[in-house]
Amino acid sequence: MNFRSSHRCCADCTSPFCWRCIGGIRGFSDYPQCHRLAEVFPLISKELRRLSTTDALTGLYNRRHMEYVLTTEHSRSARTKAPFAVLMFDIDHFKKFNDTYGHEQGDRVLQAVARTFRDSLRKYDTPCRYGGEEFIGILPQTNLDGGMAVAERLRCEVENLVVDGLKVTISIGVSAYADTGTESVDQLIHAADQALYRSKAGGRNCVTRADSIA
Ligand SMILES: Nc1nc2c(ncn2[C@@H]2O[C@H](COP(=O)(O)OP(=O)(O)OP(=O)(O)O)[C@@H](O)[C@H]2O)c(=O)[nH]1
């Protein structure tokens, strides 16, 4: 364990794991020179966890974390029989924001919608970016009616959103464990996706519940 044992960054340093030895890491450059790695390690560990679970553009949870939470909630609900809801939404005609105003404007729209999404959920819900302009919310202890209420509130909030003078709307599909045909995680996602598709086909800027689809 004698890591660069000859190194001493200052007279007080006795640690073989001196912070100065490892040369610094971006974002931690202000950290005092003579702190032991053990003190910095929790900060690095926390930052690595944040980076591996969040989407860089929106700050929402990423798809990997979404899959972890879905599996966890599914196991919990299978055991306790408590419901949980999944809402999936997609920004309407998003391509036009990119094509008409540029990709950076498209990114700003994504960020604004993501902020509204995160702020509209409870602390123990999980807002995720599923990919592109598709998002998923995982709502523990929530049945289909509860999920519909959250989705409708979110739809209204986004409808009232103005991003750099531009109006935005979203289409949403909602499913819940364990309504008929939604016993597995894949079925839950598929049901929410089908409901979202129905919202698109029905004219957009609306919410569809999975159990309304024949
Ligand atoms: N700016 C930006 N655009 C993205 C990102 N990810 C995906 N897109 C764009 O999102 C657009 C998705 O467009 P479509 O799938 O055709 O759907 P839409 O225009 O939203 O139309 P509907 O969903 O049918 O209402 C494509 O132009 C992608 O290039 C991103 O991170 N940033």
Side-chain angles (χ1 to χ4, degrees):
M1 299 291 276
N2 205 6
F3 180 72
R4 294 194 194 173
S5 59
S6 61
H7 176 84
R8 284 288 165 85
C9 65
C10 70
D12 298 331
C13 181
T14 55
S15 173
F17 295 100
C18 170
W19 172 242
R20 182 94 180 269
C21 289
I22 63 170
I25 291 177
R26 248 180 87 219
F28 290 93
S29 55
D30 294 338
Y31 207 81
Q33 288 181 351
C34 188
H35 277 59
R36 293 174 185 205
L37 185 55
E39 285 178 52
V40 188
F41 185 74
L43 298 177
I44 298 173
S45 172
K46 194 174 166 199
E47 180 63 2
L48 286 178
R49 198 175 323 118
R50 190 188 69 75
L51 289 171
S52 68
T53 57
T54 56
D55 167 61
L57 180 69
T58 61
L60 298 182
Y61 289 109
N62 61 21
R63 191 166 174 154
R64 179 195 300 154
H65 187 69
M66 179 200 85
E67 282 165 8
Y68 168 76
V69 174
L70 275 173
T71 308
T72 306
E73 286 306 325
H74 181 263
S75 303
R76 195 196 317 276
S77 289
R79 188 175 176 83
T80 64
K81 305 297 171 217
F84 76 98
V86 171
L87 60 88
M88 182 185 291
F89 72 89
D90 175 300
I91 300 173
D92 295 329
H93 301 300
F94 181 70
K95 197 170 177 307
K96 79 162 188 262
F97 291 107
N98 279 335
D99 294 352
T100 314
Y101 307 101
H103 206 264
E104 285 181 4
Q105 181 63 60
D107 283 355
R108 282 199 292 280
V109 169
L110 283 171
Q111 288 168 327
V113 169
R115 250 189 324 272
T116 304
F117 182 30
R118 186 175 45 230
D119 293 347
S120 74
L121 296 184
R122 294 167 296 195
K123 278 223 162 11
Y124 48 88
D125 295 333
T126 307
C128 316
R129 184 179 182 197
Y130 190 44
E133 24 86 68
E134 278 196 342
F135 298 82
I136 280 189
I138 305 164
L139 284 50
Q141 305 282 331
T142 307
N143 61 19
L144 192 54
D145 288 340
M148 284 297 291
V150 173
E152 183 53 28
R153 195 179 64 222
L154 173 64
R155 188 198 64 75
C156 289
E157 284 171 10
V158 173
E159 193 178 32
N160 291 326
L161 196 62
V162 181
V163 188
D164 303 326
L166 303 170
K167 301 284 287 174
V168 189
T169 62
I170 56 176
S171 299
I172 313 181
V174 185
S175 64
Y177 177 87
D179 291 313
T180 314
T182 57
E183 288 85 5
S184 73
V185 168
D186 285 350
Q187 287 171 326
L188 255 179
I189 295 291
H190 179 71
D193 191 33
Q194 291 291 107
L196 164 58
Y197 180 77
R198 185 62 66 92
S199 288
K200 290 281 182 192
R204 298 179 173 80
N205 191 22
C206 60
V207 183
T208 304
R209 49 192 294 151
D211 67 357
S212 69
I213 300 172

